[in-house]
Amino acid sequence: MQHDGLGATAPLAPFVLPDPARLALPDGAVQVWRLDDTQVDPACTRLAHTLAPDERARALAYRHARHRDGFIARRGLLRWLIGGYLRCRPEALCLTVSPFGKPVLQWPQTGLAFSVSRTDGLALLAFARDCRLGVDVERRGGGPDMAELPGFGRGIFSAQEAQALAHARPASADALLSIWTRKEALLKALGTGLSVDAGAYTTEDDWRRGAGHWRASRDGIPMSGWTLLDLDAGADAGAGARFRAALAVSLPDASVTWHSC
Ligand SMILES: CC(C)(COP(=O)(O)OP(=O)(O)OC[C@H]1O[C@@H](n2cnc3c(N)ncnc32)[C@H](O)[C@@H]1OP(=O)(O)O)[C@@H](O)C(=O)NCCC(=O)NCCS
């Protein structure tokens, strides 16, 4: 996806790992950590040694150094934060992958839920206890409106969502990203990703709960007991592009806080 100001150099963000002894995740809280692309290099340097052999092999399989380093930084920070919340060494964690690609914590087995998402410029890592949790972030680019491409989103959007997109035309890029991030967050929380019949789920604004809240249903049946939110993930300072993000958590009134290194 193209974006405005491509080639502009973002100022280097500082990177200070949080003290693991001070990390705390209360019940009902969701903590969302930001990792800017400008923090990838120092994160790699500090955290690469914590990755397991299969994670290193996956990192080496990336064709581009940028993608390889991004994965190492994300996975290293994921290990660091889980280790801090659970009071164990990051390199001692055993992470496997579900048949749908979801990372699963095999050891230690606890109620810690987490979700990771990345886009060009930013990664988000979300954590909560005893729930299902999904996060998604996308970059709001200045490129073509994908909603205008014939067939785009077929099988992904429900009929109701497709109608909402049609109403938003011709400026449907924002509506598209909103539905897209919400749906990915929800399906990541459910652990399936887009491998299921994503069109069976509908996401829509929930004005009763206030701006930024949304609700979800499956085959017309409301999903209750969830906190579903759009997140303001800010902008890419160097390139001037904004990020769209969404969070889905199976807790009724979760409180969400932002954190960064
Ligand atoms: C989950 C999915 C929607 C993510 O899409 P994306 O926009 O390309 O990627 P994002 O940056 O938002 O998320 C990537 C992260 O999602 C997580 N993830 C991957 N699959 C997941 C799933 N099924 N459920 C929850 N989280 C998942 C991983 O942590 C990954 O981060 P990592 O690359 O650092 O490990 C997409 O990969 C998908 O639909 N996967 C399911 C399809 C499937 O069955 N694949 C088989 C793979 S073995």
Side-chain angles (χ1 to χ4, degrees), residues 27-114:
D27 288 342
V30 182
Q31 298 187 351
V32 184
W33 290 78
R34 291 176 55 107
L35 178 71
D36 289 356
D37 274 7
T38 55
Q39 297 174 305
V40 161
D41 283 353
C44 270
T45 308
R46 293 286 310 276
L47 298 168
H49 71 279
T50 64
L51 269 59
D54 63 311
E55 293 169 327
R56 283 174 211 202
R58 184 177 158 194
L60 289 174
Y62 282 102
R63 288 171 66 189
H64 297 289
R66 195 165 65 91
H67 296 148
R68 179 197 63 210
D69 294 348
F71 172 74
I72 293 171
R74 280 195 309 282
R75 188 50 66 98
L77 184 57
L78 180 69
R79 283 180 167 270
W80 181 270
L81 294 171
I82 293 177
Y85 289 130
L86 300 181
R87 304 287 183 257
C88 53
R89 285 171 37 248
E91 51 272 52
L93 303 173
C94 177
L95 286 162
T96 56
V97 180
S98 83
F100 297 116
K102 183 181 171 76
V104 179
L105 184 62
Q106 288 292 344
W107 187 91
Q109 286 197 348
T110 66
L112 185 73
F114 57 91

Side-chain angles (χ1 to χ4, degrees), residues 237-260:
R242 284 206 74 78
F243 297 111
R244 294 292 302 238
L247 180 91
V249 55
S250 64
L251 298 171
D253 286 303
S255 65
V256 181
T257 51
W258 285 103
H259 304 262
S260 55

Side-chain angles (χ1 to χ4, degrees), residues 58 74-75 100-101 103 116-118 136 184 188 191 194:
R58 184 177 158 194
R74 280 195 309 282
R75 188 50 66 98
F100 297 116
V116 177
S117 183
R118 47 123 181 90
D136 189 60
E184 280 210 0
K188 285 164 86 171
L194 298 173

